Amino acid sequence: MRREATVPADASAPSKARALLDEALPIRFPDDRLHDARLVLTEIVANAVRHAGWNDWPGEILLRFDADDARLRVEVEQPATAAGVRMVEPPTAVATGGFGLRLVGMTADDWGHDDGPPGTVWFELSR
């Protein structure tokens, strides 16, 4: 199954993206993996809203869902570059960001980004 959809680049984007994920999955994922997918998607979409420089671009985020019996791949595309995507290394008490991507790295089976533009951050989860 492949599906594409867009969400507005605003505060509603994470919840709308989660709803689209639920609709897009043609097969039943185990509850813990579906929870993981929702969590990772929320973080990546929230980062796109926060960091993509929407003053210079149209305000939509493109989502691509690709699922089969074995795995789920999700791509989150923004018009701006994703070149600055990185985890804070190492995490410190004074760091002001980057911790969400640690969560992505700990939860997803694989994840990464394509600088673009358009910039894409993606993740994969096995069933």
Side-chain angles (χ1 to χ4, degrees):
M1 172 287 316
R2 296 187 118 181
R3 183 170 176 195
E4 288 188 2
T6 59
V7 294
D10 61 25
S12 71
S15 64
K16 289 181 178 177
R18 286 190 303 271
L20 289 167
L21 172 67
D22 291 345
E23 292 172 14
L25 289 177
I27 54 175
R28 175 116 170 96
F29 262 63
D31 287 343
D32 61 331
R33 295 310 272 169
L34 182 56
H35 174 75
D36 290 345
R38 289 176 179 149
L39 180 67
V40 172
L41 180 61
T42 297
E43 177 60 32
I44 293 173
V45 169
N47 282 349
V49 171
R50 183 173 183 196
H51 299 294
W54 293 106
N55 294 333
D56 302 323
W57 302 99
E60 286 192 332
I61 299 167
L62 175 63
L63 305 172
R64 289 187 196 93
F65 303 102
D66 188 3
D68 59 29
D69 290 340
R71 69 159 182 92
L72 167 67
R73 179 181 173 97
V74 178
E75 298 176 0
V76 178
E77 181 182 292
Q78 61 196 34
T81 183
V85 171
R86 67 177 179 82
M87 283 189 263
V88 172
E89 294 285 345
T92 67
V94 296
T96 59
F99 300 110
L101 289 178
R102 278 198 168 285
L103 184 66
V104 170
M106 292 172 20
T107 305
D109 294 327
D110 197 11
W111 77 279
H113 72 281
D114 301 315
D115 289 349
T120 303
V121 180
W122 56 268
F123 70 91
E124 293 185 356
L125 293 171
S126 63
R127 277 192 84 205

